[in-house]
Amino acid sequence: MKKFSVIIALIALVALVSLSGCGKKQATLYIFNWSDYIDTDLLREFEKKYNCKIKYSTFDSNENMLTKVKSSTQSFDLIFPSGDHVSILRELDMLEELDKTKLTNYGNLDTSLLKKAESFDPNNAFAIPYAWGLTGLMYNKQFVPQEIVASNGWNILGDSFFDGKNKITMLDDAREVIGAALIYSGFSVNDASPEALKAAHDVLKIWDRNITQFDSDSYKNELQDGTTWLAQAYNGDALQQMATNKDLEFILPKEGAAMWMDNIVMLKSSQNKELSYQFIDFLLDAENAKRNSDYTMYPTPNEAAMRLMGEDFINNKLINPDDEYLEKCYMIDYLGEAARSFDQIYEDIKMN
Ligand code: SPD
């Protein structure tokens, strides 16, 4: 009889636990994004709102992201590739086609930027534009005199002032490194012709005398302590550092700059598609996207959010250059097989 009452009590307890929801396993959303590229308060708020956990990891280059996504046993739900890598992931058939009816805030996106995004994602079928930016040069004015940067051009990377000092870094990104040399030589960042690539290769051999490493993350700290004096840098990352260190400056070189758009995509293998849609929609909310842009210092393709941004942000020419400058900038496009020639030059420069 005693045994019978214990069993009844156990059944009642199990029923109570499942009715109250306490026994429900919290869903976990796996997100893989660039470093320093989200307001982490938003992650905590999303967890609270949707009673879930976010496992958030970061990468510092598209190439590293792709290697990890292709090889990892850990399957991510959402990743944030640049446009050219959206095309690569599409070709690999790794992306989930998005059902926009699940995104109540999709209409906040700027239609002219959605049109631009069609160059790497026809019909905007797989990618939600997240942020865009430009690549320039960041330096510490404690170490680099004004007359060295006065030319305001990419040639600063080859200035003899830096000879033998080992104080310059460039991004760990073949398209960005060769792109800078292409622009300096008067070509588009997407020009894969032998003539353009030879010119860029020759310029890079000169710049390389001063370059200590190809790195997309640690330069941010190294510029603060003088380990690095000058670095190729993404504009928002530079502005984040400049907000806390008055010795740091950023320039958009006079010849023009590489432009890119990063995106949110859902992997086909995602185990949490509904929660992934909820997260994308949460980021597309105008107020959340505004907060995110204020934090990351990158402009958002969210038109409704841009209308909420303060004047300091809108009028900052390092974030929002005027049309005359933007005409000299080139969006990094997907090049297919031609990208191999970029990789070969990049490897040659890194090895020698
Ligand atoms: N910390 C965020 C950096 C974002 C860089 N975007 C990608 C540029 C690809 N060329």
Short mmCIF file of all heavy atoms in Angstrom, two decimals, residues 281-332:
data_model
loop_
_atom_site.label_atom_id
_atom_site.label_comp_id
_atom_site.label_asym_id
_atom_site.label_seq_id
_atom_site.Cartn_x
_atom_site.Cartn_y
_atom_site.Cartn_z
N ASP A 281 14.21 38.59 -36.81
CA ASP A 281 13.17 39.63 -36.72
C ASP A 281 13.44 40.59 -35.57
O ASP A 281 13.20 41.79 -35.68
CB ASP A 281 11.79 38.96 -36.56
CG ASP A 281 10.70 39.80 -37.19
OD1 ASP A 281 10.99 40.46 -38.22
OD2 ASP A 281 9.58 39.82 -36.65
N PHE A 282 13.98 40.04 -34.48
CA PHE A 282 14.34 40.86 -33.31
C PHE A 282 15.42 41.88 -33.71
O PHE A 282 15.34 43.05 -33.35
CB PHE A 282 14.86 39.91 -32.23
CG PHE A 282 15.27 40.54 -30.94
CD1 PHE A 282 14.32 40.93 -29.99
CD2 PHE A 282 16.62 40.73 -30.64
CE1 PHE A 282 14.72 41.50 -28.78
CE2 PHE A 282 17.01 41.30 -29.43
CZ PHE A 282 16.06 41.68 -28.50
N LEU A 283 16.39 41.43 -34.51
CA LEU A 283 17.45 42.36 -34.94
C LEU A 283 16.94 43.35 -35.98
O LEU A 283 17.50 44.44 -36.14
CB LEU A 283 18.65 41.59 -35.53
CG LEU A 283 19.54 40.84 -34.54
CD1 LEU A 283 20.76 40.27 -35.28
CD2 LEU A 283 20.02 41.72 -33.39
N LEU A 284 15.89 42.97 -36.70
CA LEU A 284 15.34 43.87 -37.72
C LEU A 284 14.43 44.94 -37.13
O LEU A 284 14.06 45.90 -37.81
CB LEU A 284 14.55 43.06 -38.76
CG LEU A 284 15.37 42.31 -39.82
CD1 LEU A 284 14.44 41.46 -40.68
CD2 LEU A 284 16.17 43.27 -40.68
N ASP A 285 14.05 44.77 -35.86
CA ASP A 285 13.25 45.78 -35.19
C ASP A 285 14.02 47.12 -35.24
O ASP A 285 15.23 47.15 -34.98
CB ASP A 285 13.03 45.34 -33.73
CG ASP A 285 12.40 46.43 -32.91
OD1 ASP A 285 11.18 46.60 -32.99
OD2 ASP A 285 13.16 47.15 -32.19
N ALA A 286 13.32 48.21 -35.59
CA ALA A 286 14.02 49.48 -35.82
C ALA A 286 14.82 49.95 -34.60
O ALA A 286 15.98 50.34 -34.71
CB ALA A 286 13.03 50.55 -36.25
N GLU A 287 14.21 49.88 -33.44
CA GLU A 287 14.89 50.35 -32.21
C GLU A 287 16.10 49.46 -31.90
O GLU A 287 17.18 49.96 -31.55
CB GLU A 287 13.87 50.36 -31.05
CG GLU A 287 14.38 50.91 -29.75
CD GLU A 287 14.94 52.34 -29.81
OE1 GLU A 287 14.37 53.20 -30.53
OE2 GLU A 287 15.97 52.57 -29.15
N ASN A 288 15.94 48.15 -32.05
CA ASN A 288 17.08 47.25 -31.77
C ASN A 288 18.21 47.46 -32.77
O ASN A 288 19.39 47.46 -32.42
CB ASN A 288 16.62 45.78 -31.82
CG ASN A 288 15.74 45.43 -30.63
OD1 ASN A 288 15.72 46.17 -29.64
ND2 ASN A 288 15.01 44.33 -30.73
N ALA A 289 17.85 47.64 -34.05
CA ALA A 289 18.88 47.85 -35.08
C ALA A 289 19.59 49.18 -34.84
O ALA A 289 20.80 49.30 -35.04
CB ALA A 289 18.26 47.82 -36.47
N LYS A 290 18.87 50.17 -34.37
CA LYS A 290 19.50 51.47 -34.05
C LYS A 290 20.51 51.29 -32.92
O LYS A 290 21.65 51.75 -32.99
CB LYS A 290 18.41 52.49 -33.65
CG LYS A 290 19.00 53.83 -33.27
CD LYS A 290 18.32 54.42 -32.04
CE LYS A 290 18.93 55.75 -31.66
NZ LYS A 290 19.93 55.69 -30.64
N ARG A 291 20.08 50.60 -31.85
CA ARG A 291 20.98 50.38 -30.72
C ARG A 291 22.22 49.62 -31.17
O ARG A 291 23.34 49.90 -30.75
CB ARG A 291 20.26 49.57 -29.65
CG ARG A 291 19.35 50.40 -28.78
CD ARG A 291 18.56 49.55 -27.83
NE ARG A 291 19.41 48.69 -27.02
CZ ARG A 291 18.96 47.60 -26.36
NH1 ARG A 291 17.68 47.28 -26.42
NH2 ARG A 291 19.78 46.87 -25.64
N ASN A 292 22.01 48.66 -32.04
CA ASN A 292 23.13 47.83 -32.52
C ASN A 292 24.13 48.68 -33.31
O ASN A 292 25.34 48.56 -33.15
CB ASN A 292 22.58 46.69 -33.37
CG ASN A 292 23.49 45.50 -33.37
OD1 ASN A 292 24.27 45.31 -32.43
ND2 ASN A 292 23.43 44.71 -34.42
N SER A 293 23.61 49.56 -34.16
CA SER A 293 24.49 50.42 -34.97
C SER A 293 25.24 51.41 -34.08
O SER A 293 26.41 51.68 -34.31
CB SER A 293 23.66 51.22 -35.96
OG SER A 293 23.76 50.66 -37.22
N ASP A 294 24.55 51.93 -33.06
CA ASP A 294 25.22 52.85 -32.13
C ASP A 294 26.40 52.14 -31.47
O ASP A 294 27.43 52.73 -31.22
CB ASP A 294 24.24 53.31 -31.03
CG ASP A 294 23.45 54.53 -31.45
OD1 ASP A 294 23.96 55.30 -32.29
OD2 ASP A 294 22.33 54.72 -30.93
N TYR A 295 26.22 50.87 -31.20
CA TYR A 295 27.25 50.09 -30.50
C TYR A 295 28.40 49.71 -31.44
O TYR A 295 29.56 49.89 -31.12
CB TYR A 295 26.60 48.84 -29.92
CG TYR A 295 27.55 47.94 -29.17
CD1 TYR A 295 27.68 48.03 -27.78
CD2 TYR A 295 28.32 46.99 -29.84
CE1 TYR A 295 28.56 47.20 -27.09
CE2 TYR A 295 29.20 46.16 -29.16
CZ TYR A 295 29.31 46.27 -27.78
OH TYR A 295 30.18 45.46 -27.12
N THR A 296 28.04 49.21 -32.63
CA THR A 296 29.09 48.68 -33.53
C THR A 296 29.76 49.78 -34.35
O THR A 296 30.86 49.60 -34.86
CB THR A 296 28.51 47.65 -34.52
OG1 THR A 296 27.53 48.30 -35.34
CG2 THR A 296 27.88 46.47 -33.81
N MET A 297 29.06 50.92 -34.49
CA MET A 297 29.53 52.05 -35.31
C MET A 297 29.54 51.73 -36.80
O MET A 297 30.30 52.34 -37.57
CB MET A 297 30.92 52.54 -34.87
CG MET A 297 31.07 52.77 -33.39
SD MET A 297 30.27 54.29 -32.88
CE MET A 297 31.54 55.46 -33.10
N TYR A 298 28.75 50.77 -37.21
CA TYR A 298 28.58 50.48 -38.64
C TYR A 298 27.17 50.91 -39.05
O TYR A 298 26.22 50.71 -38.28
CB TYR A 298 28.73 48.98 -38.93
CG TYR A 298 30.16 48.51 -38.86
CD1 TYR A 298 30.65 47.87 -37.75
CD2 TYR A 298 31.03 48.72 -39.93
CE1 TYR A 298 31.97 47.44 -37.68
CE2 TYR A 298 32.35 48.30 -39.88
CZ TYR A 298 32.81 47.66 -38.76
OH TYR A 298 34.12 47.25 -38.70
N PRO A 299 27.00 51.46 -40.25
CA PRO A 299 25.65 51.80 -40.70
C PRO A 299 24.83 50.54 -40.95
O PRO A 299 25.37 49.52 -41.39
CB PRO A 299 25.88 52.57 -42.00
CG PRO A 299 27.32 52.43 -42.34
CD PRO A 299 28.04 51.78 -41.21
N THR A 300 23.56 50.64 -40.65
CA THR A 300 22.68 49.48 -40.85
C THR A 300 21.87 49.65 -42.14
O THR A 300 21.46 50.78 -42.47
CB THR A 300 21.71 49.32 -39.65
OG1 THR A 300 20.69 48.40 -40.01
CG2 THR A 300 21.07 50.63 -39.23
N PRO A 301 21.61 48.57 -42.86
CA PRO A 301 20.74 48.65 -44.04
C PRO A 301 19.26 48.79 -43.64
O PRO A 301 18.39 48.69 -44.49
CB PRO A 301 20.98 47.32 -44.77
CG PRO A 301 22.11 46.67 -44.05
CD PRO A 301 22.16 47.22 -42.67
N ASN A 302 19.02 48.97 -42.34
CA ASN A 302 17.66 49.10 -41.82
C ASN A 302 17.28 50.58 -41.87
O ASN A 302 17.72 51.40 -41.06
CB ASN A 302 17.66 48.58 -40.37
CG ASN A 302 16.29 48.46 -39.78
OD1 ASN A 302 15.48 49.36 -39.92
ND2 ASN A 302 16.03 47.34 -39.13
N GLU A 303 16.44 50.90 -42.88
CA GLU A 303 16.11 52.31 -43.13
C GLU A 303 15.38 52.93 -41.94
O GLU A 303 15.65 54.07 -41.55
CB GLU A 303 15.24 52.39 -44.39
CG GLU A 303 15.18 53.76 -44.98
CD GLU A 303 14.34 53.80 -46.26
OE1 GLU A 303 13.63 52.81 -46.55
OE2 GLU A 303 14.39 54.83 -46.93
N ALA A 304 14.47 52.15 -41.36
CA ALA A 304 13.70 52.67 -40.22
C ALA A 304 14.64 52.97 -39.05
O ALA A 304 14.46 53.96 -38.34
CB ALA A 304 12.64 51.65 -39.80
N ALA A 305 15.67 52.15 -38.88
CA ALA A 305 16.64 52.39 -37.79
C ALA A 305 17.51 53.60 -38.12
O ALA A 305 17.82 54.40 -37.23
CB ALA A 305 17.50 51.15 -37.60
N MET A 306 17.90 53.73 -39.38
CA MET A 306 18.76 54.86 -39.76
C MET A 306 18.07 56.19 -39.47
O MET A 306 18.70 57.17 -39.13
CB MET A 306 19.17 54.78 -41.24
CG MET A 306 20.31 53.80 -41.52
SD MET A 306 21.82 54.10 -40.57
CE MET A 306 22.63 55.36 -41.51
N ARG A 307 16.73 56.19 -39.61
CA ARG A 307 15.98 57.42 -39.33
C ARG A 307 16.05 57.80 -37.85
O ARG A 307 15.82 58.94 -37.48
CB ARG A 307 14.51 57.27 -39.75
CG ARG A 307 14.32 57.41 -41.26
CD ARG A 307 12.86 57.71 -41.60
NE ARG A 307 12.00 56.57 -41.31
CZ ARG A 307 11.69 55.61 -42.19
NH1 ARG A 307 12.12 55.70 -43.44
NH2 ARG A 307 10.92 54.61 -41.85
N LEU A 308 16.37 56.79 -37.00
CA LEU A 308 16.43 57.06 -35.55
C LEU A 308 17.84 57.44 -35.09
O LEU A 308 18.03 57.86 -33.95
CB LEU A 308 16.00 55.80 -34.77
CG LEU A 308 14.62 55.21 -35.06
CD1 LEU A 308 14.42 53.91 -34.28
CD2 LEU A 308 13.53 56.22 -34.67
N MET A 309 18.84 57.27 -35.98
CA MET A 309 20.23 57.51 -35.55
C MET A 309 20.45 59.00 -35.27
O MET A 309 19.88 59.87 -35.93
CB MET A 309 21.23 57.08 -36.63
CG MET A 309 21.21 55.61 -37.01
SD MET A 309 21.42 54.44 -35.68
CE MET A 309 23.09 54.73 -35.17
N GLY A 310 21.33 59.27 -34.30
CA GLY A 310 21.64 60.66 -33.93
C GLY A 310 22.43 61.37 -35.04
O GLY A 310 23.00 60.71 -35.93
N GLU A 311 22.48 62.69 -34.94
CA GLU A 311 23.18 63.48 -35.98
C GLU A 311 24.67 63.18 -36.05
O GLU A 311 25.26 63.18 -37.13
CB GLU A 311 22.97 64.97 -35.72
CG GLU A 311 21.59 65.41 -36.13
CD GLU A 311 21.46 66.91 -36.25
OE1 GLU A 311 22.44 67.63 -36.03
OE2 GLU A 311 20.34 67.34 -36.57
N ASP A 312 25.28 62.91 -34.89
CA ASP A 312 26.73 62.62 -34.87
C ASP A 312 27.05 61.43 -35.76
O ASP A 312 28.06 61.41 -36.46
CB ASP A 312 27.19 62.27 -33.44
CG ASP A 312 27.33 63.52 -32.59
OD1 ASP A 312 27.07 64.62 -33.13
OD2 ASP A 312 27.68 63.37 -31.41
N PHE A 313 26.19 60.44 -35.68
CA PHE A 313 26.40 59.22 -36.47
C PHE A 313 26.18 59.51 -37.96
O PHE A 313 27.01 59.22 -38.80
CB PHE A 313 25.43 58.13 -35.98
CG PHE A 313 25.66 56.77 -36.57
CD1 PHE A 313 26.39 55.82 -35.88
CD2 PHE A 313 25.14 56.42 -37.82
CE1 PHE A 313 26.61 54.55 -36.41
CE2 PHE A 313 25.36 55.16 -38.36
CZ PHE A 313 26.10 54.22 -37.65
N ILE A 314 25.06 60.15 -38.26
CA ILE A 314 24.70 60.42 -39.66
C ILE A 314 25.72 61.34 -40.33
O ILE A 314 26.07 61.14 -41.50
CB ILE A 314 23.28 61.07 -39.74
CG1 ILE A 314 22.23 60.11 -39.16
CG2 ILE A 314 22.92 61.50 -41.15
CD1 ILE A 314 21.94 58.88 -39.98
N ASN A 315 26.21 62.33 -39.58
CA ASN A 315 27.13 63.30 -40.19
C ASN A 315 28.59 62.88 -40.15
O ASN A 315 29.45 63.60 -40.64
CB ASN A 315 26.99 64.67 -39.50
CG ASN A 315 25.60 65.24 -39.71
OD1 ASN A 315 24.95 64.93 -40.71
ND2 ASN A 315 25.13 66.02 -38.75
N ASN A 316 28.88 61.72 -39.56
CA ASN A 316 30.27 61.28 -39.49
C ASN A 316 30.70 60.73 -40.86
O ASN A 316 30.21 59.70 -41.32
CB ASN A 316 30.40 60.19 -38.41
CG ASN A 316 31.84 59.84 -38.16
OD1 ASN A 316 32.68 59.94 -39.06
ND2 ASN A 316 32.13 59.44 -36.94
N LYS A 317 31.62 61.46 -41.50
CA LYS A 317 32.00 61.10 -42.88
C LYS A 317 32.82 59.81 -42.93
O LYS A 317 33.02 59.23 -44.02
CB LYS A 317 32.82 62.24 -43.53
CG LYS A 317 31.99 63.49 -43.75
CD LYS A 317 31.01 63.28 -44.92
CE LYS A 317 30.01 64.38 -45.06
NZ LYS A 317 28.61 64.00 -45.07
N LEU A 318 33.32 59.34 -41.78
CA LEU A 318 34.03 58.06 -41.79
C LEU A 318 33.04 56.89 -41.78
O LEU A 318 33.39 55.77 -42.12
CB LEU A 318 34.98 57.96 -40.58
CG LEU A 318 36.08 59.02 -40.52
CD1 LEU A 318 36.91 58.87 -39.27
CD2 LEU A 318 36.97 58.95 -41.77
N ILE A 319 31.81 57.19 -41.36
CA ILE A 319 30.76 56.16 -41.37
C ILE A 319 29.93 56.31 -42.65
O ILE A 319 29.61 55.34 -43.33
CB ILE A 319 29.82 56.30 -40.14
CG1 ILE A 319 30.60 56.14 -38.83
CG2 ILE A 319 28.67 55.30 -40.21
CD1 ILE A 319 29.78 56.34 -37.57
N ASN A 320 29.59 57.54 -42.92
CA ASN A 320 28.68 57.88 -44.02
C ASN A 320 29.34 58.84 -44.98
O ASN A 320 29.00 60.02 -45.01
CB ASN A 320 27.50 58.63 -43.38
CG ASN A 320 26.23 57.88 -43.54
OD1 ASN A 320 26.12 56.98 -44.36
ND2 ASN A 320 25.23 58.27 -42.75
N PRO A 321 30.32 58.40 -45.78
CA PRO A 321 31.00 59.37 -46.67
C PRO A 321 30.01 59.95 -47.69
O PRO A 321 28.96 59.35 -47.95
CB PRO A 321 32.06 58.53 -47.37
CG PRO A 321 32.03 57.20 -46.76
CD PRO A 321 30.75 57.02 -46.02
N ASP A 322 30.37 61.09 -48.26
CA ASP A 322 29.46 61.66 -49.25
C ASP A 322 29.54 60.87 -50.57
O ASP A 322 30.44 60.05 -50.78
CB ASP A 322 29.71 63.16 -49.47
CG ASP A 322 31.19 63.45 -49.59
OD1 ASP A 322 31.89 62.60 -50.17
OD2 ASP A 322 31.65 64.51 -49.11
N ASP A 323 28.58 61.17 -51.45
CA ASP A 323 28.46 60.39 -52.69
C ASP A 323 29.73 60.46 -53.54
O ASP A 323 30.10 59.50 -54.20
CB ASP A 323 27.27 60.88 -53.52
CG ASP A 323 25.97 60.48 -52.86
OD1 ASP A 323 26.02 59.64 -51.94
OD2 ASP A 323 24.91 61.03 -53.24
N GLU A 324 30.39 61.62 -53.50
CA GLU A 324 31.60 61.80 -54.32
C GLU A 324 32.65 60.75 -53.91
O GLU A 324 33.33 60.17 -54.76
CB GLU A 324 32.14 63.21 -54.07
CG GLU A 324 33.12 63.67 -55.13
CD GLU A 324 33.81 64.97 -54.70
OE1 GLU A 324 33.18 65.78 -53.99
OE2 GLU A 324 34.97 65.13 -55.07
N TYR A 325 32.79 60.51 -52.60
CA TYR A 325 33.76 59.50 -52.17
C TYR A 325 33.25 58.08 -52.49
O TYR A 325 34.00 57.24 -52.97
CB TYR A 325 34.06 59.63 -50.66
CG TYR A 325 35.20 58.70 -50.27
CD1 TYR A 325 36.52 59.05 -50.56
CD2 TYR A 325 34.96 57.46 -49.70
CE1 TYR A 325 37.58 58.19 -50.28
CE2 TYR A 325 36.02 56.59 -49.40
CZ TYR A 325 37.32 56.97 -49.69
OH TYR A 325 38.36 56.11 -49.42
N LEU A 326 31.95 57.87 -52.25
CA LEU A 326 31.41 56.52 -52.47
C LEU A 326 31.55 56.08 -53.93
O LEU A 326 31.66 54.89 -54.22
CB LEU A 326 29.94 56.46 -52.04
CG LEU A 326 29.72 56.49 -50.52
CD1 LEU A 326 28.24 56.53 -50.19
CD2 LEU A 326 30.38 55.30 -49.84
N GLU A 327 31.59 57.07 -54.83
CA GLU A 327 31.78 56.72 -56.26
C GLU A 327 33.14 56.08 -56.50
O GLU A 327 33.35 55.37 -57.48
CB GLU A 327 31.63 57.97 -57.12
CG GLU A 327 30.18 58.13 -57.58
CD GLU A 327 29.90 59.53 -58.07
OE1 GLU A 327 30.81 60.18 -58.60
OE2 GLU A 327 28.74 59.98 -57.89
N LYS A 328 34.09 56.32 -55.58
CA LYS A 328 35.43 55.73 -55.74
C LYS A 328 35.55 54.39 -54.97
O LYS A 328 36.64 53.85 -54.86
CB LYS A 328 36.49 56.71 -55.21
CG LYS A 328 36.54 58.01 -55.99
CD LYS A 328 37.73 58.87 -55.58
CE LYS A 328 37.50 59.59 -54.29
NZ LYS A 328 38.52 60.57 -53.93
N CYS A 329 34.44 53.94 -54.39
CA CYS A 329 34.49 52.70 -53.61
C CYS A 329 33.88 51.55 -54.40
O CYS A 329 32.97 51.76 -55.21
CB CYS A 329 33.74 52.88 -52.30
SG CYS A 329 34.48 54.17 -51.29
N TYR A 330 34.39 50.34 -54.15
CA TYR A 330 33.91 49.18 -54.91
C TYR A 330 33.45 48.11 -53.95
O TYR A 330 34.19 47.71 -53.05
CB TYR A 330 35.04 48.57 -55.73
CG TYR A 330 35.73 49.51 -56.67
CD1 TYR A 330 36.80 50.29 -56.22
CD2 TYR A 330 35.33 49.62 -57.99
CE1 TYR A 330 37.45 51.16 -57.07
CE2 TYR A 330 35.99 50.49 -58.86
CZ TYR A 330 37.05 51.26 -58.39
OH TYR A 330 37.69 52.11 -59.23
N MET A 331 32.25 47.63 -54.16
CA MET A 331 31.73 46.50 -53.37
C MET A 331 32.53 45.25 -53.74
O MET A 331 32.74 44.98 -54.93
CB MET A 331 30.25 46.32 -53.73
CG MET A 331 29.60 45.14 -53.10
SD MET A 331 29.08 45.49 -51.42
CE MET A 331 27.40 45.97 -51.68
N ILE A 332 33.00 44.51 -52.75
CA ILE A 332 33.74 43.26 -53.02
C ILE A 332 32.75 42.21 -53.54
O ILE A 332 31.87 41.76 -52.81
CB ILE A 332 34.45 42.76 -51.74
CG1 ILE A 332 35.49 43.79 -51.28
CG2 ILE A 332 35.08 41.39 -51.96
CD1 ILE A 332 36.25 43.42 -50.02
#
